[in-house]
Amino acid sequence: MTKKLILFVLLLFSFSNAVEIKVQVLGSGGPLTYKRASTSYLIWIDGKSKILVDLGSGSLLRFNEVNRNIEDIEIVLLTHFHTDHTVDFSEFVKSLYFYDAKKKITVIAPDGNEYFPDFKQFTDALFGEEGAYRYLSSTFKQNINPIQTSSKIGKVKEFQFKNYKIYSLGVNHGIVPALAYKIVIGNKIISFSGDTSARTNNLIDFVKNSDIFVAHMAINQNSNIYAKRLHMTPYRIGEIAKKANVKLLVLSHRMKRTIGHEEENLKEIRKNYKGKIILAEDKDFYILK
Ligand SMILES: [Zn+2]
């Protein structure tokens, strides 16, 4: 083979392996939000919507606005069992009644503690024999492969799928068992803080060198101590983004108490992080090639 031909074959090979990744915000809001769905994100791989992260209120509506191929979903990642992250999970399961599943959808979610149910208790309360939505019991069983993972602070778990890896990290969110997630597709890293105060430094290592880091800016710098036990301050978000060397910082979970405070909060973030920042809007998307 001539040198030119070898180069051509190599190029062809690399193009055939090139994956287009699109990260789309379905819900950029939270509780007491206006014109925004609550927390939810969608990851597209080569034009197909494969991974959902959280299913807050309105996220299914947004999903149907951007795509109707629920058949393409392979994975759902739930960060924790607060309503603003999970109420549309029931609606999602209901949607599966209308699709002819050839494969089960894997749903990863945290374990519990004395204040919150674990994933099994959560789904039993909804879709079990005695559950509130017991009429969906067989739909749930036929279509969902539930995986419960540890929410112990700092604990990292790895899940290998055909074309990507998913990692969960137990994070601090007051008394709530909660997870951050990271999705690695080829050499691209997309990470989600979920709701966390990020009191410990585990999140910095976890989101290191992310191409996109979706961080929940649910409080202002001067919010009260109770809110700070649950959520990261803008200053802390900037510190994490800088130390982790993230390429794009997306600020989400926008709600009544933070709307209108963006400028002051961005100033706090900028004290540390000098990279690119985007304030999330529903249906916005970011493409990684
Ligand atoms: Zn939340």
Side-chain angles (χ1 to χ4, degrees), residues 272-289:
N272 284 295
Y273 181 69
K274 312 289 182 213
K276 195 172 176 202
I277 302 176
I278 293 177
L279 288 160
E281 298 289 344
D282 286 17
K283 296 196 275 187
D284 272 5
F285 58 83
Y286 326 105
I287 291 178
L288 292 170
K289 280 188 184 168

Side-chain angles (χ1 to χ4, degrees), residues 89 117-134 137 140-141 146 148:
F89 180 59
D118 64 22
F119 190 28
K120 170 92 171 66
Q121 291 163 338
F122 180 76
T123 56
D124 279 353
L126 293 170
F127 312 113
E129 312 268 286
E130 307 283 316
Y133 301 129
R134 68 194 81 152
S137 168
F140 178 80
K141 269 191 227 152
Q148 184 170 297

Side-chain angles (χ1 to χ4, degrees), residues 94-274:
K94 172 68 197 178
S95 303
L96 301 179
Y97 176 80
F98 295 103
Y99 110 99
D100 188 17
K102 292 195 176 56
K103 53 169 184 16
K104 285 190 174 187
I105 295 170
T106 294
V107 183
I108 302 176
D111 54 12
N113 61 16
E114 61 180 299
Y115 308 103
F116 277 80
D118 64 22
F119 190 28
K120 170 92 171 66
Q121 291 163 338
F122 180 76
T123 56
D124 279 353
L126 293 170
F127 312 113
E129 312 268 286
E130 307 283 316
Y133 301 129
R134 68 194 81 152
Y135 81 108
L136 292 172
S137 168
S138 57
T139 306
F140 178 80
K141 269 191 227 152
Q142 277 164 27
N143 297 298
I144 300 288
N145 168 36
I147 296 181
Q148 184 170 297
T149 186
S150 171
S151 64
K152 191 170 169 231
I153 310 297
K155 184 90 181 162
V156 176
K157 290 276 189 180
E158 182 185 322
F159 305 89
Q160 174 76 57
F161 297 92
K162 197 174 157 215
N163 299 313
Y164 43 84
K165 274 185 191 175
I166 290 173
Y167 298 84
S168 66
L169 168 75
V171 290
N172 200 306
H173 184 38
I175 57 162
V176 193
L179 302 168
Y181 284 106
K182 174 166 68 176
I183 298 146
V184 179
I185 310 167
N187 60 357
K188 301 292 183 216
I189 304 173
I190 306 142
S191 55
F192 299 87
S193 70
D195 286 3
T196 178
S197 63
R199 220 188 261 189
T200 59
N201 285 330
N202 306 300
L203 193 61
I204 298 170
D205 289 335
F206 188 71
V207 305
K208 204 135 228 160
N209 299 321
S210 289
D211 292 278
I212 298 178
F213 173 41
V214 180
H216 284 182
M217 189 170 75
I219 59 171
N220 303 312
Q221 196 59 37
N222 59 2
S223 286
N224 66 44
I225 183 122
Y226 305 105
K228 284 178 181 168
R229 275 184 203 156
L230 292 167
H231 295 288
M232 301 180 272
T233 61
Y235 183 87
R236 181 66 172 150
I237 292 174
E239 195 174 41
I240 291 165
K242 180 191 162 52
K243 287 184 177 166
N245 189 34
V246 308
K247 296 189 184 80
L248 170 64
L249 174 63
V250 175
L251 301 170
S252 192
H253 209 295
R254 305 178 62 194
M255 45 196 278
K256 192 180 173 190
R257 70 180 160 204
T258 56
I259 297 280
H261 295 268
E262 288 82 357
E263 214 169 296
E264 68 202 54
N265 289 339
L266 283 170
K267 241 184 230 169
E268 290 295 327
I269 291 172
R270 287 267 175 238
K271 284 178 182 170
N272 284 295
Y273 181 69
K274 312 289 182 213

